[in-house]
Amino acid sequence: MTQILKQGDRGALVALLQLGLTRAGQTPGALDGIFGAQTAAAVRAFQAASGLTPDGIAGTRTHRALLPYYTGFVTRTIRAGDTFSALARQYGTSVDAIALANPYLDPERLPLGRALTIPLPFSVTPADIPYSSALIGYIVRGLAARYPMLAVGEFGRSVLGRPLWYLTLGSGPKLVFYNAAHHANEWITTPLLLTFCEQLCARLGDGGDLEGQNIRDLLTKVTLVLAPAVDPDGIDLVTGALDAENTAAARTLAANYPDISFPAGWKANIRGIDLNLQYPAGWSIAREIKFAAGYTRPGPRDYVGPAPLAAPESLAMYGFTRALDPLLTLSYHTQGRVIYWQYDGCDVPGSAAIAQQFAAVSGYDVAATPYAAGHAGYKDWFIQDYRRPGFTIEAGSGENPLPLRQFPDIWSDNLGILLGGMTAVL
């Protein structure tokens, strides 16, 4: 994170700063995204403890010093006398966590001068602050460092050049693909997938079960690929992490639709194209429906774009899916507590039964996709082209963006679905 933050600032990046300070043992107050006097005092205290000028302004050096508390790990050069036990005591972590992060090091023969990774004693993935592209990047980096069995990378870039991250776990021949946050103000689905990833990694490490499922065994049969944030630019806009220039440009587009709240009502990418109306599955029908409803220009939602796959994010998802060739996909949205499993009368064998299983473990309803919303989506295209099970899960209830206080319920409701998508292909 390179943005300079100071007293009076607000937004997701301030909340991330507050989280980092809290993890570092400081007391910035509530993780409310408001840079007030208490947060400024915590910044000064951290700066003084880190040998920095205690000016209360979080600039490049302060963010660099906070990096371990953003990512959840420290890189340490091995010194004479170092042992996993001594390092675990020094950093408040466990020997098992250090061993898991450094599988190629013999704890009885630590090579002097070699770098090793030390996980810090907290989960990498938070569920108590708004998300941003910066936070997502820190989480991906932190998970990859703590869990070397996790492969991470980029399958594309957003309009503003932000990475479209993917995370891959498992070695099985049955590949499934989950994605989240095609829509900016549905970003609460991003920590859902990242929390699931971290839980799977932890169980791979300790050999434990998740909801009675042996994860080590499951991931010898299944490969899971996650795309946790399809619209990072839009997420930054909605949560206040976007720079002033791009926020102003989006506000100009939003003026085309003054009845939609800004930025809370923003679903689109930063160019005002709805990414889940960009896929080549009845796109012309979707265009007719949305134009008839008045969505004829770029704006916060429901503009289908000038052509299918015109948005770089949707084009990247299209190409990545074709490269993966998954047996099943889950697309996470909010809200409504409902499961959609069909497209345009396509009867994919087994899909109805899987949807009912998802409903049984989540308490969500199974429904037919409304005609007015039933074209040009990712799930629609996947079912049309692959004739394999594809699902849209509308998590939570209320008005988007859903408040973070709903996250515990969303997590507990959807854990069975997330695991069920993996076991359904066996």
Side-chain angles (χ1 to χ4, degrees):
M1 183 165 61
T2 58
Q3 184 168 328
I4 296 173
L5 300 174
K6 60 187 182 302
Q7 192 163 345
D9 288 338
R10 292 173 175 252
L13 296 182
V14 174
L16 174 56
L17 171 66
Q18 293 169 328
L19 176 70
L21 291 167
T22 301
R23 288 173 168 178
Q26 304 299 331
T27 54
L31 306 182
D32 56 7
I34 301 172
F35 199 135
Q38 190 170 354
T39 298
V43 171
R44 287 193 294 271
F46 176 79
Q47 290 169 328
S50 303
L52 302 174
T53 301
D55 59 7
I57 298 172
T60 301
R61 292 183 178 180
T62 300
H63 290 309
R64 186 181 300 124
L66 280 167
L67 187 61
Y69 305 102
Y70 294 150
T71 61
F73 73 95
V74 171
T75 300
R76 160 76 179 265
T77 300
I78 297 171
R79 307 167 190 164
D82 278 346
T83 65
F84 280 6
S85 295
L87 292 168
R89 288 192 298 272
Q90 180 180 347
Y91 288 94
T93 188
S94 70
V95 170
D96 288 344
I98 297 175
L100 183 62
N102 301 275
Y104 305 112
L105 290 181
D106 181 351
E108 302 301 323
R109 298 181 179 181
L110 294 180
L112 297 182
R114 176 80 175 268
L116 84 166
T117 298
I118 303 175
L120 296 180
F122 50 81
S123 297
V124 177
T125 308
D128 52 0
I129 63 170
Y131 267 55
S132 62
S133 60
L135 173 57
I136 295 163
Y138 289 140
I139 293 169
V140 170
R141 179 176 174 182
L143 291 177
R146 290 167 65 139
Y147 303 107
M149 74 286 280
L150 177 69
V152 305
E154 303 174 21
F155 65 90
R157 290 269 171 155
S158 69
V159 169
L160 298 179
R162 288 161 169 75
L164 303 178
W165 295 107
Y166 72 85
L167 305 94
T168 302
L169 266 179
S171 57
K174 309 286 190 178
L175 188 143
V176 298
F177 179 40
Y178 299 171
N179 63 80
H182 265 87
H183 289 147
N185 63 357
E186 300 172 9
W187 60 261
I188 199 170
T189 57
T190 294
L192 177 67
L193 291 195
L194 290 172
T195 297
F196 184 56
C197 183
E198 186 162 7
Q199 289 284 319
L200 291 177
C201 288
R203 300 294 75 79
L204 270 176
D206 62 23
D209 291 350
L210 188 58
E211 294 288 289
Q213 180 70 53
N214 185 297
I215 298 305
R216 284 184 178 173
D217 178 66
L218 180 60
L219 285 171
T220 64
K221 302 171 183 175
V222 177
T223 295
L224 172 67
V225 182
L226 304 170
V230 179
D231 187 8
D233 300 345
I235 291 173
D236 281 352
L237 173 64
V238 171
T239 63
L242 195 64
D243 63 274
E245 181 180 356
N246 283 299
T247 298
R251 190 184 299 275
T252 298
L253 296 180
N256 291 330
Y257 304 92
D259 292 338
I260 300 174
S261 63
F262 181 84
W266 192 278
K267 296 173 63 176
N269 79 348
I270 205 63
R271 286 181 178 157
I273 298 174
D274 192 315
L275 297 179
N276 207 42
L277 290 170
Q278 269 280 284
Y279 294 93
W283 180 84
S284 61
I285 299 173
R287 182 182 186 276
E288 181 180 346
I289 291 169
K290 298 305 182 183
F291 271 45
Y295 298 103
T296 59
R297 293 181 289 175
R301 55 176 294 165
D302 288 337
Y303 174 60
V304 300
L309 305 178
E313 300 90 347
S314 298
L315 179 61
M317 277 288 291
Y318 174 87
F320 191 50
T321 304
R322 289 177 64 87
L324 291 174
D325 194 26
L327 297 179
L328 176 148
T329 64
L330 296 183
S331 299
Y332 264 95
H333 291 257
T334 57
Q335 40 70 33
R337 294 173 53 86
V338 64
I339 300 160
Y340 297 119
W341 61 280
Q342 292 175 303
Y343 172 62
D344 199 28
C346 296
D347 185 10
V348 176
S351 285
I354 296 171
Q356 290 299 333
Q357 291 168 6
F358 288 169
V361 297
S362 65
Y364 285 12
D365 294 326
V366 176
T369 307
Y371 183 80
H375 299 280
Y378 176 85
K379 177 263 295 175
D380 308 327
W381 164 72
F382 180 77
I383 292 174
Q384 170 192 271
D385 276 25
Y386 286 85
R387 293 299 198 269
R388 296 172 185 168
F391 303 89
T392 293
I393 313 296
E394 296 280 0
S397 58
E399 183 176 346
N400 293 327
L402 298 183
L404 275 167
R405 65 176 177 271
Q406 283 200 28
F407 185 81
D409 287 339
I410 290 173
W411 167 252
S412 62
D413 288 345
N414 283 277
L415 179 55
I417 295 177
L418 292 164
L419 288 169
M422 299 170 70
T423 60
V425 299
L426 298 178

